[in-house]
Amino acid sequence: TMAKTGYAFGGWSETNSGTAVGNPYSPTQTRTLYAIWVGIQYLISYNVNGGTGSLDDVSYTTGATGVTLNDGATLTRIGYIFAGWKTSGGTTVTSPYVTSSNLTLNAIWTPKTVSIVYAKGLATTTTNFPTNTTTSFGTNFTLSANVDTSTVVVQDNYAFAGWLESVSGVTYKPGDSFRISTEATLTFTAQWIRLFEVTYNTNGGTFAAGDGV
């Protein structure tokens, strides 16, 4: 039994690159017959892996020029950038691509970078306040706790009360986790609560022993 990896036996030829002879074969002189090997065709399928769009299967025949893989230009996925193809085993592949089996290639998606902006709100001066930063789409972002607990605005005292997210209108505590589910810039504005001083006037009375205010 003869075998050649990636090829199927296609008969015999009188030359090493000729066509197959007929069967039965009746030579008129001493001959050397050469095995003909025909490249096997393999199917390559694309899995968009969470993206939007569809791609036709392509084929590769053993011995031919490698396949130019689809560049993903027609594929989209919110929050991600197309970054190529990988096998089911996780190996990244590039063009020209050859294979020795039918297989499915899976799209690689890289999370986009999302900007995080911290706004001071009413505060005009701060000692501790977080700088703007970035994070990746699809991650859980931890809101900064590096912020003054209080501030003074035009001689009035204010206490820090959390971070207001501009789109949802929800206020979060420092250290809270926020799921990044948008590509747009996220702004978190410091919220401040006015503090008022309360004094007591006994109005002719006295405090009981041990009482303190």
Side-chain angles (χ1 to χ4, degrees), residues 26-118:
S26 301
T28 58
Q29 58 181 312
T30 300
R31 289 283 191 183
T32 296
L33 296 181
Y34 298 84
I36 298 172
W37 296 103
V38 180
I40 297 174
Q41 187 178 82
Y42 299 105
L43 192 66
I44 301 172
S45 301
Y46 293 109
N47 172 20
V48 298
N49 198 19
T52 300
S54 61
L55 301 174
D56 293 333
D57 296 341
V58 294
S59 61
Y60 167 73
T61 301
T62 303
T65 301
V67 173
T68 298
L69 299 175
N70 189 281
D71 63 5
T74 62
L75 304 180
T76 58
R77 185 180 178 188
I78 294 175
Y80 294 87
I81 298 171
F82 177 77
W85 300 99
K86 63 181 178 181
T87 65
S88 57
T91 302
T92 300
V93 298
T94 57
S95 299
Y97 181 66
V98 300
T99 180
S100 58
S101 64
N102 298 322
L103 83 166
T104 297
L105 296 179
N106 303 292
I108 301 171
W109 296 101
T110 300
K112 290 184 178 180
T113 298
V114 178
S115 297
I116 304 293
V117 174
Y118 287 107

Side-chain angles (χ1 to χ4, degrees), residues 86-162:
K86 63 181 178 181
T87 65
S88 57
T91 302
T92 300
V93 298
T94 57
S95 299
Y97 181 66
V98 300
T99 180
S100 58
S101 64
N102 298 322
L103 83 166
T104 297
L105 296 179
N106 303 292
I108 301 171
W109 296 101
T110 300
K112 290 184 178 180
T113 298
V114 178
S115 297
I116 304 293
V117 174
Y118 287 107
K120 293 183 178 181
L122 291 175
T124 54
T125 59
T126 56
T127 301
N128 296 308
F129 198 83
T131 57
N132 298 338
T133 186
T134 59
T135 189
S136 297
F137 182 91
T139 59
N140 291 319
F141 178 75
T142 301
L143 293 168
S144 179
N146 179 35
V147 59
D148 293 339
T149 57
S150 62
T151 190
V152 176
V153 180
V154 193
Q155 299 182 338
D156 294 324
N157 293 319
Y158 287 79
F160 179 72

Side-chain angles (χ1 to χ4, degrees), residues 128-205:
N128 296 308
F129 198 83
T131 57
N132 298 338
T133 186
T134 59
T135 189
S136 297
F137 182 91
T139 59
N140 291 319
F141 178 75
T142 301
L143 293 168
S144 179
N146 179 35
V147 59
D148 293 339
T149 57
S150 62
T151 190
V152 176
V153 180
V154 193
Q155 299 182 338
D156 294 324
N157 293 319
Y158 287 79
F160 179 72
W163 298 108
L164 175 67
E165 195 278 306
S166 57
V167 176
S168 66
V170 175
T171 298
Y172 296 87
K173 299 188 299 295
D176 277 355
S177 181
F178 184 88
R179 183 71 174 177
I180 306 299
S181 57
T182 178
E183 301 178 7
T185 297
L186 288 165
T187 300
F188 293 93
T189 303
Q191 300 299 289
W192 305 94
I193 296 176
R194 172 80 181 276
L195 299 177
F196 295 93
E197 181 178 345
V198 176
T199 59
Y200 292 93
N201 185 335
T202 62
N203 197 22

